[in-house]
């Protein structure tokens, strides 16, 4: 009320004080409530409403309160003014109103039919933040954290299945939803439930692609807490993280597609262009993300002559790490690629290379910092989704469409998981059991990404209806399926309280007992990754981190001058230490105890990565190495002598 | 260029992608450059340009580059459109341009004379972020960190002097600058150098108040690095932190003042109202900040029956700590008080009470988190100040005014430091030596606060001229005085490389030898603080933290039921442990070794606070207590049994 008055009577003496403070305070208040609720839940072992569901509920209630308490429509809005002199909308508009010039900033283009819906109240309008804040500030920490805390050992064991689910599965899901919705829309137009809008097949595909992004947050938080079977966890984690990336690129490609001439006809050229776009954007984003991570690794590894290493200044190191990772996202977005994909692979690469170069202090700092940002961003997003039901002014609720979408989403999830699991089980030695498949089917929640993709474009009426529907499906799946996760786990008799390492050991032991030919089969299926890991261990790791054999020993004899050049003198000295090489060899032997399948000739094969696993034992990366780095990275006191 | 085109032809297919990414990327790039520069400086012990100066320089260069590379003025802007139907500026404006409705959002009211200056380029315009982001997001972490890392022991030893400089000194500075500038403006009008604007005495006072905020960042960073004499450090730190708070409230009070009838006449009623406002706002903000901190302490201390303590979930604890502290700022702003003052005292109170209740993990986390946020916010602000020289579109450079302001600023600083030091030295046993006074005079840099206060209001021409002048004075002082700090220290023969604790011990020893009557003098001058500390130790600390004697022993006999109620059963049990009471007593004895002046009858006097000093020995707060908390706060694994 007060804020609104302030806005209309702009002459007010101190209108510029506490601008935006109230809105931020409301979010703070919601987050504090959420944290207190989480605390309460943790105490009462209450699992029927997850914290994300709680955050959403609070957002919803707050939206309701604001709606009713500050019910004073902005009288001026809803009126359209004519301006014949202008040809297009400039970014800034100066308007003379009763002898006073006001500056207005371009916000967006709206359709004529939205004009009437524009009589919302000013407070709610101000709570609506720009989708670009969502994409540029809130999503990157979540996705980066997912990449950074990826359990690589388990991930690579299931890489084939994960990639199948993520790429093929998401494509299937997108097409199935698109087809079903197209049928529904046609039927609705036929029975007169839907006016004849321009609802093309591409619009349906667009909806299909955005609804194919499953949410990694809610279910995985519960899984993590309960220590659910590691293979199931990894499959779901890998699938939902990669599937977000795929869905985002897919949505982007489809929105670029649009053959303008005849939107309903299938245009082969445009289709292949879209596929090309998809591959190009995906590959480009991947390259962008990885190269930023490699730059970070190089900088953190670099020790020029007369230069103290960066790891002696943990604050600078953390800052650089943070900024470069964020820049990976922003550069990709600025270049027209997909930032989410870039930041995901940036996270994976950072964990693989840069993490090893950090000082122990920075390892802790970065991990805690990213964890914290992830936590905050997650809860802000879920609170905001709750609020969006009220803050967004142009909802179009169409019960039939919503019902159709719900059906489509479940059919699509089923035709993703079950057929693909069947095909995968033909090739997998360690089958994906029935109850895992049911659980994966059940865990197809929709969350932040679907919401964010839907809110990006809400100009036309079909897009608004899609947004409303997507929001309601998010609510439904998070509350019903999120809340049902624990009972479902019990009902499907899935193991909980599993220690990941113990689990792996036990499984490997039982497997190597049951099928002796496993090692060879595994080695065959993973040959591509073995080659990659051999290359990684012999050349990339020595180049980018402190671990691995010195380049001079892995590169051919005649490359020695180059090898010497590529590592700085002091690093070269470090690398040649006997202890260090010992460490690597010992560690390889150690990991062999865990994973019998490591009996492959390439030194430092895929299993050696287990030691970089962040979530499990961050600072227990072998006492030796830690100590080695510690002596190299004691903060130096600068004094003016 | 590309961004601009995108903005004008809004029909562009994917204009909503990478919105804002380029601007954020530029800031990221500047920050990365700054960090690399800091690293370079640290390596070369280069002290003639401090990192903040470097950040400003990069911002300046980047502004220059954008200015010249993207030189394509927005053709449409600069034209004012008439709108007769409107009475005042609504918050949202819908405009029909060639059959397409565009939504515009209210930005600000501008004067007619600014219209022509509005032909800047769109890229630069978009780099200009809202002053509310400055105030609500960037400043709070800096000020909070200052409060949180306050070295309380040294601070309270010099409290009288610090308060004198901060309150009396800032008032003197404000009035002196105001008077000199008023004289200058009158003279300039007289010789025709300045058009007869409405340049009132209150405007001059406004300028005086905003230019009185000295910057704690640059000089103190250098001092901290060089370990300059602790008393000088504390005096400057305390003065510049409190003086910011005073200057902000003063600016606010003056902007409220404005007796409309005859702006030049002295209106006694309005003056006293302003003084009342000042006191009310200061006290209100103080109360707001402290109460948020007390709430945090209570929550983090709370252990209800059947509840696990919050400290078992470091993430929740950190999150709550962060959000409540920020809420202190936002609530104060929303209530029309001064957030900066609130967040400063919130920081001090958090460090005093809440810090003791945190788990060891959260202690580390919060400290590192606030340090990191402080670091980032600081550098963003200085980069932005560099950019502002180009991004701000309505600069009014008036060389005479700038010269006058420079003179005024130095005269004001001199009439603050020297007379007050003289008066203070009359009362102080340990005099402030001449070279300290010169150094304090020299360290009166202007920085972020002066800039932020000036940018808040740039509607009228006098305010724009003030903003330009303030910005240039910031540049000048940061580069010239910031760069000259190290040579000046050498020239004034001020001790560097001092260990704060050793220093205190040595000083106390030499003093108690030279003047034996010191203890009584000290005890007399500090009686108010002794009473406060007695109260704090006996009642507040037991109520809010784990330390201190149990309330049942400090409250009178008949209060026992209340005392038992106020501490939860388990805390009460903890408090009664013999070890704990022993610890407190022992610790008091320990601190007595450091400070002979502790021989005053009140148990747990002012000196006992030394042990909460965060910057010095965070986790070394006595092994006993740490262990005690550690056993109470081991993270609990939740498993579904």
């Amino acid at each position: 009320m007060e804020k609104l008055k302030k806005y209309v009577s702009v002459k007010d003496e101190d209108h510029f004080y506490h601008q935006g403070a109230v809105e931020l305070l409301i979010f703070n208040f919601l987050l504090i409530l959420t944290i207190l609720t989480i605390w309460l839940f943790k105490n009462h072992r209450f699992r029927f409403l997850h914290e994300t569901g709680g955050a959403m509920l609070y957002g919803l209630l707050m939206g309701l309160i604001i709606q009713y308490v500050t019910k004073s429509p902005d009288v001026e809005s809803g009126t359209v003014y004519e301006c014949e002199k202008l040809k297009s909308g400039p970014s800034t508009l100066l308007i003379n109103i009763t002898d006073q010039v006001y500056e207005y900033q371009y916000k967006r283009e709206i359709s004529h039919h939205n004009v009437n819906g524009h009589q919302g109240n000013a407070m709610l309008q101000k709570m609506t933040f720009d989708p670009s804040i969502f994409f540029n500030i809130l999503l990157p920490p979540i996705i980066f954290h997912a990449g950074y805390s990826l359990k690589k050992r388990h991930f690579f064991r299931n890489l084939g299945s994960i990639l199948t689910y993520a790429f093929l599965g998401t494509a299937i899901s997108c097409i199935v939803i698109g087809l079903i919705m197209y049928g529904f829309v046609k039927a609705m137009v036929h029975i007169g439930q839907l006016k004849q809008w321009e609802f093309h097949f591409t619009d349906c595909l667009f909806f299909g692609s955005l609804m194919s992004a499953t949410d990694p947050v809610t279910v995985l938080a519960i899984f993590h807490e309960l220590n659910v079977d590691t293979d199931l966890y990894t499959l779901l984690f890998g699938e939902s993280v990669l599937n977000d990336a795929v869905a985002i690129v897919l949505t982007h490609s489809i929105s670029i597609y649009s053959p303008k001439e005849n939107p309903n006809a299938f245009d082969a050229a445009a289709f292949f262009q879209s596929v090309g776009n998809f591959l190009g954007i995906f590959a480009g984003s991947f390259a962008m993300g990885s190269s930023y991570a490699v730059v970070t690794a190089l900088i953190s590894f670099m020790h020029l002559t007369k230069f103290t290493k960066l790891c002696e200044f943990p604050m600078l190191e953390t800052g650089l790490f943070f900024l470069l990772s964020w820049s990976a996202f922003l550069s990709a977005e600025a270049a027209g690629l997909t930032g989410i994909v870039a930041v995901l692979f940036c996270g994976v690469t950072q964990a693989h290379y840069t993490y090893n170069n950090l000082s122990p202090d920075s390892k802790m700092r970065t991990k805690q910092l990213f964890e914290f940002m992830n936590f905050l961003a997650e809860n802000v997003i879920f609170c905001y989704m709750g609020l969006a039901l009220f803050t967004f002014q142009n909802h179009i609720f169409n019960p039939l469409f919503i019902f159709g979408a719900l059906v489509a989403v479940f059919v699509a999830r089923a035709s993703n998981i079950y057929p693909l699991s069947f095909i995968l089980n033909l090739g997998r030695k360690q089958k994906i059991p029935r109850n895992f498949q049911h659980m994966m089917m059940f865990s197809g929640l929709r969350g932040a990404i679907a919401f964010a993709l839907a809110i990006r474009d809400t100009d036309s009426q079909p897009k608004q209806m899609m947004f409303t529907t997507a929001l309601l499906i998010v609510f439904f799946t998070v509350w019903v399926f999120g809340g049902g996760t624990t009972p479902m786990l019990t009902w499907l008799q899935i193991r909980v309280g599993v220690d990941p390492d113990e689990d792996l050991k036990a499984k490997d032991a039982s497997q190597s007992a049951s099928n002796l030919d496993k090692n060879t089969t595994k080695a065959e299926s993973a040959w591509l990754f073995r080659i990659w890991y051999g290359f990684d261990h012999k050349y990339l790791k020595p180049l980018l981190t402190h671990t691995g054999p010195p380049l001079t020993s892995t590169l051919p004899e005649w490359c020695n001058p180059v090898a010497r050049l590529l590592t700085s003198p002091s690093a070269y000295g470090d690398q040649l230490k006997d202890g260090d090489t010992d460490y690597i060899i010992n560690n390889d032997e150690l990991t062999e105890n865990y994973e019998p399948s490591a009996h492959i000739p390439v030194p430092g094969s895929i299993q050696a990565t287990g030691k970089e696993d962040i979530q499990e034992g961050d600072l227990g990366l072998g006492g030796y190495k830690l100590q080695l780095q510690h002596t190299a990275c004691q903060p130096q006191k600068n004094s003016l002598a």
Side-chain angles (χ1 to χ4, degrees), chain A:
Chain A
M1 279 287 256
E2 222 228 358
K3 292 289 292 180
L4 178 71
K5 226 182 69 202
K6 284 254 161 67
Y7 233 87
V8 173
S9 66
V10 277
K11 259 294 187 200
D12 200 314
E13 191 57 44
D14 58 353
H15 73 277
F16 57 90
Y17 288 99
H18 62 85
Q19 230 178 46
V22 178
E23 291 82 358
L24 282 171
L25 190 61
I26 289 177
F27 272 105
N28 266 15
F29 177 66
L30 284 175
L31 288 176
I32 291 168
L33 261 183
T34 308
I35 289 180
L36 291 178
T37 312
I38 298 171
W39 183 27
L40 191 82
F41 282 8
K42 286 208 193 264
N43 272 292
H44 289 263
R45 315 264 162 129
F46 185 82
R47 296 198 201 288
F48 295 99
L49 180 61
H50 188 255
E51 54 197 67
T52 50
M56 242 158 70
L57 191 65
Y58 286 130
L60 201 75
L61 292 177
M62 182 59 83
L64 207 68
I65 291 168
I66 297 174
Q67 176 93 344
Y68 281 92
V69 170
T70 67
K71 190 89 190 166
S72 59
D74 194 337
V75 198
E76 301 285 1
S77 71
T79 322
V80 183
Y81 299 95
E82 300 295 323
C83 202
E84 296 85 15
K85 292 168 208 158
L86 281 164
K87 289 283 166 288
S88 66
S91 60
T92 317
L93 200 64
L94 302 178
I95 291 184
N96 193 349
I97 300 165
T98 54
D99 241 18
Q100 180 59 51
V101 181
Y102 294 96
E103 183 179 344
Y104 280 84
Q105 205 161 26
Y106 174 78
K107 201 178 162 197
R108 58 189 182 130
E109 180 189 328
I110 51 172
S111 316
H112 283 281
H113 62 91
N114 289 340
V115 170
N116 293 329
H118 246 271
Q119 289 168 332
N121 79 47
M123 187 68 204
L124 279 178
Q125 258 177 42
K126 277 193 285 171
M127 295 290 296
T128 321
F129 54 78
D130 202 333
S132 73
I133 293 180
F134 230 99
F135 267 84
N136 294 332
I137 293 167
L138 293 174
L139 278 187
I142 296 180
I143 307 293
F144 181 85
H145 185 254
Y148 196 63
S149 61
L150 192 82
K151 297 193 178 195
K152 281 205 295 294
R153 191 155 34 135
H154 299 95
F155 184 77
F156 283 108
R157 277 171 72 99
N158 293 297
L159 190 73
S161 311
I162 289 170
L163 288 179
T164 312
Y165 285 126
F167 281 84
L168 210 57
T170 309
I172 291 174
S173 168
C174 168
I175 293 167
V176 169
I177 296 178
L179 285 172
I180 295 179
M181 289 324 289
Y182 192 60
F184 243 95
V185 168
K186 282 274 169 229
M188 280 161 72
V189 171
H190 192 72
I191 60 166
Q193 282 288 314
L194 199 67
K195 278 165 263 163
Q196 184 72 50
W197 290 333
E198 292 182 58
F199 218 122
H200 308 306
F201 183 57
T202 45
D203 288 327
C204 292
L205 270 185
F206 179 84
F207 184 68
S209 66
L210 74 88
M211 287 315 295
S212 296
T214 56
D215 178 48
V217 176
T218 310
V219 172
L220 293 182
I222 300 174
F223 276 30
H224 187 77
E225 213 170 286
L226 297 180
N227 282 316
V228 167
D229 185 287
T230 326
D231 272 314
L232 177 59
Y233 180 90
T234 312
L235 278 176
L236 258 178
F237 179 83
E239 188 239 332
S240 54
V241 164
L242 279 183
N243 135 325
D244 285 349
V246 174
I248 288 170
V249 181
L250 213 54
T251 311
H252 192 165
S253 309
I254 292 172
S255 75
I256 292 174
Y257 173 72
S258 55
K260 283 277 156 70
E261 303 81 39
N262 180 1
N264 278 315
F266 181 78
D267 182 344
F271 174 75
F272 282 112
Q273 204 196 328
S274 258
V275 173
N277 272 338
F278 174 84
L279 294 176
I281 292 171
F282 204 94
S285 309
F286 175 83
M288 181 77 87
S290 319
S291 45
Y292 266 96
V294 166
V295 167
T296 317
L298 278 176
I299 291 178
S300 64
F301 176 57
M302 201 161 64
H303 19 186
L304 306 171
T305 339
K306 288 188 196 162
F307 252 64
T308 45
K309 285 192 238 166
L310 189 61
C311 60
E312 284 180 20
F313 312 106
M315 175 72 80
L316 299 186
E317 206 177 16
T318 311
L320 207 61
F321 194 162
F322 168 76
L323 290 170
L324 279 169
S325 305
W326 195 15
S327 296
F329 175 90
L330 295 170
S331 305
E333 286 286 307
L337 301 168
T338 306
I340 299 289
V341 178
V343 85
L344 173 66
F345 289 106
C346 180
V348 174
T349 319
Q350 297 279 35
H352 195 58
Y353 298 117
T354 317
Y355 187 74
N356 288 313
N357 296 340
L358 296 179
S359 62
D361 191 13
S362 292
K363 281 184 186 172
M364 277 291 279
R365 274 172 189 253
T366 50
K367 190 179 157 271
Q368 292 183 346
L369 179 72
F370 293 133
E371 238 178 24
F372 183 69
M373 291 197 311
N374 173 57
F375 174 77
L376 274 193
E378 230 170 74
N379 284 302
V380 170
I381 287 183
F382 279 92
C383 281
Y384 185 68
M385 284 200 273
L387 267 175
L389 201 62
F390 293 97
T391 54
F392 186 69
Q393 305 291 322
N394 299 309
H395 279 301
I396 300 183
F397 291 97
N398 185 322
L400 256 179
F401 190 85
I402 293 164
F403 173 74
L406 263 175
V407 170
V409 162
F410 292 112
V411 172
R413 183 78 188 163
S415 41
N416 167 358
I417 298 296
Y418 295 118
L420 288 183
S421 301
F422 177 75
I423 295 167
L424 285 170
N425 275 344
L426 296 180
R428 276 176 78 105
K429 274 291 151 193
Q430 190 200 323
K431 311 285 184 205
I432 301 167
R434 264 295 185 210
N435 60 349
F436 279 25
Q437 295 179 27
H438 294 317
M439 197 63 221
M440 287 183 77
M441 168 74 205
F442 189 80
S443 306
L445 309 195
R446 302 310 189 272
I449 305 278
F451 173 80
L453 286 173
I455 209 175
R456 259 198 171 175
D457 185 0
T458 55
D459 283 345
S460 64
Q461 269 166 315
K463 293 278 162 69
Q464 285 164 12
M465 205 162 80
M466 285 178 197
F467 173 68
T468 307
T469 309
L471 187 59
L472 288 175
I473 288 179
V474 170
F475 281 139
F476 182 78
T477 55
V478 168
W479 282 336
V480 175
F481 292 79
T485 306
T486 318
M488 200 65 177
L489 281 171
T490 319
W491 195 63
L492 290 172
Q493 295 178 309
I494 290 171
R495 294 190 310 154
V496 292
V498 182
D499 179 43
D501 289 312
E502 286 293 320
D503 183 36
L504 206 58
K505 221 194 293 187
K507 267 191 193 162
D508 283 330
S510 70
Q511 270 166 30
S512 52
S514 61
N515 43 318
L516 288 162
D517 60 334
K518 181 187 154 273
N519 287 347
T520 47
T521 325
K522 256 227 124 148
E524 272 163 30
S525 71
W527 66 271
L528 188 70
F529 296 102
R530 259 193 305 124
I531 291 175
W532 156 248
Y533 264 89
F535 178 74
D536 179 48
H537 182 73
K538 276 163 90 183
Y539 307 112
L540 292 181
K541 284 227 158 182
L543 196 67
L544 298 172
T545 72
H546 292 287
T547 58
L551 273 181
T552 37
S553 72
T554 54
L555 283 176
E557 199 70 41
W558 56 269
C559 290
N560 263 358
V562 184
R564 272 171 212 278
L565 258 179
L566 283 174
T567 14
S568 71
S570 66
Y572 182 66
D574 274 356
Q575 298 284 0
L576 277 183
K577 269 185 201 159
D578 285 332
D580 216 11
T581 352
D582 271 359
Y583 163 71
I584 295 157
I585 295 163
N586 287 338
N587 214 296
D588 277 358
E589 278 164 10
L590 258 171
T591 28
E592 282 179 356
N593 292 335
Y594 286 98
E595 306 212 11
S597 58
H599 289 291
I600 22 178
V602 186
S605 62
I606 173 168
Q607 283 70 25
T609 47
K611 64 178 189 280
E612 285 96 41
D613 202 319
I614 293 168
Q615 275 206 333
E616 282 166 38
D618 325 50
L619 291 175
L621 306 178
Y624 177 75
K625 203 177 110 216
L626 237 166
Q627 213 175 12
L628 189 112
Q629 289 204 335
H630 205 64
T631 48
C633 286
Q634 267 163 357
Q636 198 185 350
K637 284 229 169 173
N638 299 333
S639 59
L640 194 89

